């Protein structure tokens, strides 16, 4: 038996933003209560709001955009879920030394469970979460060259406590000096149980976008 689940959060005016930024606007436009023939809404928020994917253009003017990836890129059948929740703390920079060896042969997608999803909606999620070191990219691609995307249950690969290291990590993954980029899915819902058989990422397809909010579906084996 298999079950489909969401690995992404819906966007709302309460969606947390990096560094406690503001600016999400979701409001009615046409509305039948006003005599309009239908109901519509106006959405105004950054393309890095909520569960979203970063692509190379985010850190390179010559990097690929969301629309440069074919549909099949967003389907992942070999997934490694890595639980590091017992090894991370506030403001920590995650280094390769705390990441265990993978079980999956030639993984395409790696999902890091830090346990910080339970703090979503608090300052621990937006201001003092852990972040990743730039060294994780080289370790990952040297050991598991098949990886083309990683996801995480923190608001960004960049810890707001150490934004300089965060920029280096973004650049290492998205615009490496050598090797293929590894895309980043940030602010994921990763509190599921069971093994993932497949993950489908559905970004909002906007031309020339350096990143995009996305709906992420997981197929879980019971």
């Amino acid at each position: 038996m298999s079950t489909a689940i969401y690995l992404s959060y819906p966007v709302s005016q309460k969606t947390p933003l990096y560094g406690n930024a503001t600016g999400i606007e979701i409001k009615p436009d046409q509305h039948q209560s006003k005599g309009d023939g239908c109901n519509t809404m106006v959405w105004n928020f950054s393309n890095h709001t909520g569960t979203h994917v970063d692509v190379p253009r985010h850190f390179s003017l010559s990097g690929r955009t969301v629309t440069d990836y074919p549909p099949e890129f967003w389907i992942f059948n070999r997934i490694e879920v890595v639980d590091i929740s017992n090894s991370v703390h506030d403001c920590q920079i995650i280094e390769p030394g705390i990441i265990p060896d993978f079980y999956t042969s030639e993984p395409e997608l790696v999902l890091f469970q830090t346990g910080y999803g339970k703090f979503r909606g608090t300052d621990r999620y937006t201001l003092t979460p852990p972040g990743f070191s730039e060294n994780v990219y080289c370790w990952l691609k040297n050991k598991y060259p098949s990886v083309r995307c990683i996801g995480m249950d923190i608001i960004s690969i960049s810890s707001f406590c150490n934004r300089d290291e965060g920029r280096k990590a973004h650049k290492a993954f998205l615009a490496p000096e050598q090797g293929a980029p590894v895309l980043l899915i940030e602010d994921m819902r990763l509190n599921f149980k069971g093994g993932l058989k497949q993950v489908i990422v559905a970004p909002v397809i906007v031309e020339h976008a350096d990143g995009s909010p996305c709906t992420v579906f997981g197929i879980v084996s019971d």
Side-chain angles (χ1 to χ4, degrees), residues 75-104:
I75 301 172
F76 301 91
N77 296 304
R78 299 190 305 276
I79 303 111
E80 179 73 18
V81 180
V82 183
D83 186 350
I84 55 173
S85 59
N86 290 328
S87 303
V88 298
H89 52 76
D90 287 7
C91 295
Q92 178 180 353
I93 300 301
I94 298 167
E95 295 284 357
I98 71 165
I99 302 173
D101 290 337
F102 297 171
Y103 295 102
T104 306

Side-chain angles (χ1 to χ4, degrees), residues 18-218:
Y18 185 73
N20 281 346
T22 59
I24 299 175
E25 184 179 27
I26 301 173
K27 63 181 182 180
D29 185 17
Q30 298 184 82
H31 204 277
Q32 288 175 313
S33 66
K34 301 185 297 183
D36 295 322
C38 63
N39 303 304
T40 63
M41 303 176 77
V42 173
W43 302 344
N44 183 20
F45 46 79
S46 164
N47 63 326
H48 294 267
T49 294
T51 306
H52 65 278
V53 61
D54 291 353
V55 300
R57 180 63 62 89
H58 189 36
F59 268 76
S60 170
L61 289 174
S62 61
R64 297 175 79 182
T65 70
V66 170
T67 49
D68 290 326
Y69 290 89
E72 60 269 19
F73 177 88
W74 305 108
I75 301 172
F76 301 91
N77 296 304
R78 299 190 305 276
I79 303 111
E80 179 73 18
V81 180
V82 183
D83 186 350
I84 55 173
S85 59
N86 290 328
S87 303
V88 298
H89 52 76
D90 287 7
C91 295
Q92 178 180 353
I93 300 301
I94 298 167
E95 295 284 357
I98 71 165
I99 302 173
D101 290 337
F102 297 171
Y103 295 102
T104 306
S105 175
E106 299 184 342
E108 302 169 312
L109 171 66
V110 181
L111 301 178
F112 289 98
Q113 294 175 320
T114 68
Y116 269 70
K118 63 180 176 286
F119 303 123
R120 199 172 189 266
T122 74
D123 286 348
R124 289 189 71 181
Y125 197 75
T126 50
L127 297 181
T128 62
F132 282 77
S133 164
E134 63 175 324
N135 299 325
V136 175
Y137 170 81
C138 288
W139 173 86
L140 188 66
K141 291 300 282 185
N142 285 336
K143 198 162 188 176
Y144 305 102
S146 56
V147 174
R148 48 194 172 90
C149 189
I150 67 170
M152 61 210 74
D153 59 354
I154 49 179
I155 199 164
S156 173
I157 195 173
S158 171
S159 172
F160 195 73
C161 304
N162 193 333
R163 300 184 71 183
D164 286 342
E165 183 62 30
R167 293 185 189 96
K168 292 176 184 177
H170 269 102
K171 189 172 181 180
F173 277 87
L174 299 176
E177 294 181 2
Q178 294 182 334
V182 173
L183 275 55
L184 309 172
I185 310 174
E186 300 171 322
D187 194 16
M188 293 188 73
R189 185 204 305 257
L190 298 181
N191 58 346
F192 60 89
K193 297 184 183 299
L196 281 172
K197 298 169 59 177
Q198 188 178 64
V199 170
I200 299 171
V201 180
V204 179
I205 302 298
V206 176
E207 194 169 11
H208 309 310
D210 63 272
S212 178
C214 55
T215 302
V216 185
F217 305 94

